Amino acid sequence: MSNNDNIYDKIKEFLGTMAGNVAVLEQQIDADIQMEYNLLAEQKMDSDPDEILQKKDTLHNSGYSIEYKKKYLVELAKIGTLESHQILENYITVPDKELKEWAVLAFQENKMLLESSLLDENQILISTGLGGKGMKLRYFTVLQTLTGRVFSNYEKKLIKSEMQSCLKNSHGELESIHFSGELCRILSVIPLQIPIQPLFDKVIEECNMYGDFLDCECLITNVRILSGKQIRNLMIRNNH
């Protein structure tokens, strides 16, 4: 995907003329857990739906392993009926602590299949590591000073002001901004229709009109919030 593309247009292109509604998974769920869930979900399930539903009490039985329950949650999710929806809805309120995120994924998949059946149109669920809000995705972004020096108070205020302005114009939202040494960490939610890179390029450009202090390269991800060490390793790699 190029810097000027947006996710919503890509989804519409993928769907073509097929009817479809798009939803964003709001919860922040580790990308590795999502990958593990999807790999298991792709496997063919031979169990009869009625037999699966009859085993609902195993979810609350400590005698069954976490691995067994993972498979069972995926099987439940794939049924896509009101009964399986109710079972998952009950479990998600008091899940095994190791399966809290797994249960959310199963519940959302089941809900999507159920809605597709009831509404007779495709339901598309977008899930990222950082989740989202409504029709917006959450992004973790890192800006850095051009020379590696610490941000001044004036520069901090300027970046925050420009971020709020650009996000407001794009119907986005600034959730948090944190400065540490030469790094500025930003958490924001941005509509699917908005191309991400140009938005942050604009912030950097506006800020640099008042001192040319920001590096033009920035780090943007919707997978996870990165540690200081991870950020610096990526920044160093990208600058070579």
Side-chain angles (χ1 to χ4, degrees):
M1 184 181 297
S2 74
N3 289 341
N4 292 317
D5 288 334
N6 65 66
I7 294 173
Y8 192 69
D9 281 346
K10 283 296 178 183
I11 292 170
K12 289 194 293 184
E13 181 183 324
F14 173 75
L15 289 174
T17 58
M18 294 161 39
N21 288 326
V22 178
V24 172
L25 180 65
E26 297 200 356
Q27 291 88 342
Q28 297 185 35
I29 297 180
D30 185 270
D32 292 336
I33 293 177
Q34 293 193 45
M35 184 176 296
E36 183 187 358
Y37 179 92
N38 290 330
L39 285 172
L40 184 57
E42 288 172 1
Q43 297 180 18
K44 185 177 180 180
M45 301 293 178
D46 297 321
S47 302
D48 180 77
D50 290 334
E51 292 180 3
I52 295 171
L53 293 171
Q54 289 171 9
K55 298 176 182 177
K56 63 182 181 181
D57 291 338
T58 61
L59 280 176
H60 301 284
N61 189 328
S62 60
Y64 289 84
S65 69
I66 294 299
E67 293 306 312
Y68 171 88
K69 292 183 180 182
K70 283 182 177 180
K71 183 178 179 181
Y72 183 66
L73 286 168
V74 170
E75 290 177 330
L76 269 178
K78 286 185 172 298
I79 295 176
T81 63
L82 284 171
E83 187 173 354
S84 60
H85 180 79
Q86 290 169 352
I87 294 170
L88 288 165
E89 189 174 37
N90 290 332
Y91 180 69
I92 207 171
T93 59
V94 284
D96 295 276
K97 63 179 182 179
E98 302 95 333
L99 294 177
K100 185 176 180 180
E101 294 177 312
W102 197 275
V104 169
L105 292 172
F107 176 79
Q108 290 296 336
E109 181 182 7
N110 181 270
K111 180 182 177 183
M112 182 179 65
L113 292 174
L114 180 59
E115 289 178 349
S116 294
S117 174
L118 294 175
L119 300 175
D120 194 26
E121 61 180 13
N122 296 295
Q123 304 294 305
I124 306 299
L125 180 68
I126 300 175
S127 61
T128 68
L130 292 179
K133 185 184 295 184
M135 291 295 287
K136 305 171 184 177
L137 292 180
R138 182 171 288 106
Y139 293 89
F140 176 69
T141 308
V142 182
L143 308 180
Q144 63 179 343
T145 56
L146 188 60
T147 60
R149 61 173 177 76
V150 175
F151 284 102
S152 69
N153 289 333
Y154 169 75
E155 291 166 347
K156 293 177 183 178
K157 291 179 182 178
L158 179 60
I159 292 173
K160 184 175 182 180
S161 175
E162 291 296 340
M163 276 303 314
Q164 289 173 328
S165 177
C166 284
L167 286 169
K168 182 179 180 180
N169 291 337
S170 301
H171 303 288
E173 178 185 341
L174 178 63
E175 291 190 328
S176 68
I177 183 166
H178 176 70
F179 295 89
S180 176
E182 81 283 14
L183 301 178
C184 171
R185 298 173 173 88
I186 299 165
L187 204 59
S188 59
V189 286
I190 301 171
L192 295 174
Q193 297 92 334
I194 302 299
I196 303 305
Q197 187 68 53
L199 186 151
F200 287 98
D201 287 345
K202 177 69 173 176
V203 170
I204 293 171
E205 180 184 352
E206 292 293 326
C207 288
N208 278 343
M209 290 178 63
Y210 300 92
D212 197 26
F213 61 92
L214 279 177
D215 194 322
C216 291
E217 298 293 328
C218 64
L219 180 62
I220 307 171
T221 180
N222 58 15
V223 177
R224 57 172 56 91
I225 295 175
L226 303 172
S227 68
K229 183 177 180 180
Q230 290 172 322
I231 291 169
R232 288 181 171 87
N233 286 340
L234 286 169
M235 290 291 197
I236 291 170
R237 191 181 310 159
N238 290 338
N239 286 333
H240 282 80

